[in-house]
Amino acid sequence: LRSLDGLNTHDDSYPLSIAGGVTTALVLPGSSNAIGGQAFVIKLRSTEERTPTSMLLEPPYELNGTLPNPDLPLRWRYMKHACGENPRSTYKDTRMDVNWEFRQAYKKAF
């Protein structure tokens, strides 16, 4: 799940945030699942496209067809984790169960 896919760039909260002095935001997915999904840093600015991708501060590689350049620094990627009450209350597990799910997911990923 990518938080970028659910971003509504036509929301009235953007101009209000900019008027209040907010220039950058970290958009996170929900916290019901232990591993919620991918988060993105956006600049709260109007763009010609008015798309979520055009608001990205530093698009991750492969999102827009670009490949990593070994001569440039790596780009940061963000992932939402929930270790507390939300996943525990949603799935009726203990916090240790949630941590076990983290380990299983990371083991599968590697």
Side-chain angles (χ1 to χ4, degrees), residues 58-98:
E58 189 177 66
Y61 294 113
E62 291 130 10
L63 181 69
N64 56 2
T66 60
L67 295 174
N69 183 347
D71 299 328
L72 296 175
L74 293 175
R75 295 181 181 173
W76 285 97
R77 304 282 302 258
Y78 304 93
M79 187 174 13
K80 171 72 181 279
H81 287 81
C83 306
E85 294 299 316
N86 283 348
R88 190 186 71 78
S89 62
T90 302
Y91 299 107
K92 307 295 184 237
D93 291 336
T94 65
R95 289 185 183 195
M96 192 61 94
D97 290 331
V98 173

Side-chain angles (χ1 to χ4, degrees), residues 22-92:
V22 179
T23 61
T24 309
L26 177 62
V27 182
L28 299 163
S31 59
S32 180
N33 293 323
I35 300 175
Q38 190 173 7
F40 292 91
V41 179
I42 62 168
K43 289 296 276 184
L44 301 178
R45 60 176 181 251
S46 57
T47 61
E48 289 183 21
E49 300 89 6
R50 291 196 71 174
T51 62
T53 308
S54 66
M55 297 173 72
L56 286 175
L57 183 63
E58 189 177 66
Y61 294 113
E62 291 130 10
L63 181 69
N64 56 2
T66 60
L67 295 174
N69 183 347
D71 299 328
L72 296 175
L74 293 175
R75 295 181 181 173
W76 285 97
R77 304 282 302 258
Y78 304 93
M79 187 174 13
K80 171 72 181 279
H81 287 81
C83 306
E85 294 299 316
N86 283 348
R88 190 186 71 78
S89 62
T90 302
Y91 299 107
K92 307 295 184 237

